[in-house]
Amino acid sequence: GENVEQHPSTLSVQEGDSAVIKCTYSDSASNYFPWYKQELGKGPQLIIDIRSNVGEKKDQRIAVTLNKTAKHFSLHITETQPEDSAVYFCAALSSGGSYIPTFGRGTSLIVHP
Amino acid sequence: NAGVTQTPKFQVLKTGQSMTLQCAQDMNHNSMYWYRQDPGMGLRLIYYSASEGTTDKGEVPNGYNVSRLNKREFSLRLESAAPSQTSVYFCASSKQGATGNEQFFGPGTRLTVL
């Protein structure tokens, strides 16, 4: 089955800095890669996703890149703000029969004012 | 449009007690899921239901049962709670089982088993 590794587990930055979270996956059939943000006391919420036919996608201050050859994808947050502090999860889904996402273990991002 | 709702929000059980976690969605989604979240372990799938009338085991099904009551509701039952089941439980739904569909999560149930 699919295996998703996520690093780092904790990331501390100063407000205004950039933050990068990296994930690797094992199943070459995976073709959809969502990122979820979980604020304290709430359920995860989708913030951005990318499909395997695209190398990069941007939405204001967040972007995701995908390297299919190396089987890794990354979340980039620029100009971080205190409200970006949360736990971020990456996930991978395969179109080869299973539509169940495999999640990484999460990254706790702390943005210091 | 409430999205995905879960009850209760908090629960404390004694070892051996039983309880049912309730989940409902009002988005007309076909697929529903139950996850547990433990520190450092991410989200682990307990059971899922691809469509009304079907249920399947996920990564960590032992000690749990589920019922897809109708298209809207998907319940999770602990028949004999154990301390290892202390966790935060999330219900989620998605439009259909095809790749690329966003999962919508409920607010979670924090369960403590003493």
Side-chain angles (χ1 to χ4, degrees):
Chain A
E2 176 66 277
N3 182 49
V4 176
E5 300 282 343
Q6 182 173 348
H7 298 281
S9 57
T10 305
L11 180 58
S12 183
V13 301
Q14 289 296 127
E15 182 177 0
D17 288 349
S18 294
V20 180
I21 302 170
K22 299 181 179 181
C23 289
T24 61
Y25 62 98
S26 61
D27 189 348
S28 57
S30 290
N31 58 7
Y32 176 63
F33 307 91
W35 285 89
Y36 289 83
K37 176 183 180 182
Q38 184 180 25
E39 297 178 344
L40 194 62
K42 297 184 178 180
Q45 184 173 12
L46 182 77
I47 56 171
I48 195 168
D49 56 16
I50 191 168
R51 299 176 190 273
S52 59
N53 58 348
V54 175
E56 183 177 5
K57 183 177 179 180
K58 291 183 180 180
D59 183 3
Q60 299 183 355
R61 294 186 298 107
I62 61 173
V64 58
T65 58
L66 171 66
N67 184 325
K68 287 172 55 181
T69 303
K71 296 198 190 74
H72 67 72
F73 56 111
S74 300
L75 178 71
H76 304 254
I77 305 174
T78 58
E79 301 173 20
T80 54
Q81 301 168 3
E83 51 264 39
D84 294 329
S85 295
V87 178
Y88 292 82
F89 292 98
C90 64
L93 286 78
S94 169
S95 62
S98 171
Y99 50 84
I100 306 299
T102 300
F103 286 91
R105 294 195 174 190
T107 296
S108 178
L109 174 64
I110 303 167
V111 181
H112 299 281
Chain B
N1 204 350
V4 179
T5 56
Q6 292 183 236
T7 55
K9 285 184 168 40
F10 302 93
Q11 184 70 50
V12 178
L13 293 177
K14 294 181 180 178
T15 297
Q17 287 185 316
S18 62
M19 78 161 295
T20 300
L21 283 65
Q22 306 287 353
C23 174
Q25 53 89 11
D26 62 1
M27 296 173 283
N28 200 34
H29 285 169
N30 290 322
S31 301
M32 298 185 73
Y33 315 79
W34 276 105
Y35 293 92
R36 61 177 289 172
Q37 182 176 30
D38 303 290
M41 298 298 292
L43 294 160
R44 292 185 293 171
L45 184 66
I46 305 171
Y47 271 94
Y48 65 98
S49 171
S51 60
E52 187 179 354
T54 68
T55 60
D56 285 288
K57 294 178 180 179
E59 180 186 356
V60 289
N62 291 346
Y64 305 95
N65 284 300
V66 291
S67 295
R68 183 73 182 267
L69 305 170
N70 47 56
K71 192 171 185 178
R72 291 187 64 249
E73 299 172 288
F74 188 38
S75 62
L76 178 71
R77 183 161 178 83
L78 286 70
E79 290 291 352
S80 179
S84 61
Q85 294 178 305
T86 292
S87 188
V88 181
Y89 292 85
F90 288 100
C91 177
S93 70
S94 64
K95 187 175 182 180
Q96 57 186 22
T99 299
N101 280 286
E102 175 183 358
Q103 286 193 329
F104 292 82
F105 286 82
T109 294
R110 186 174 294 274
L111 174 66
T112 301
V113 183
L114 303 175

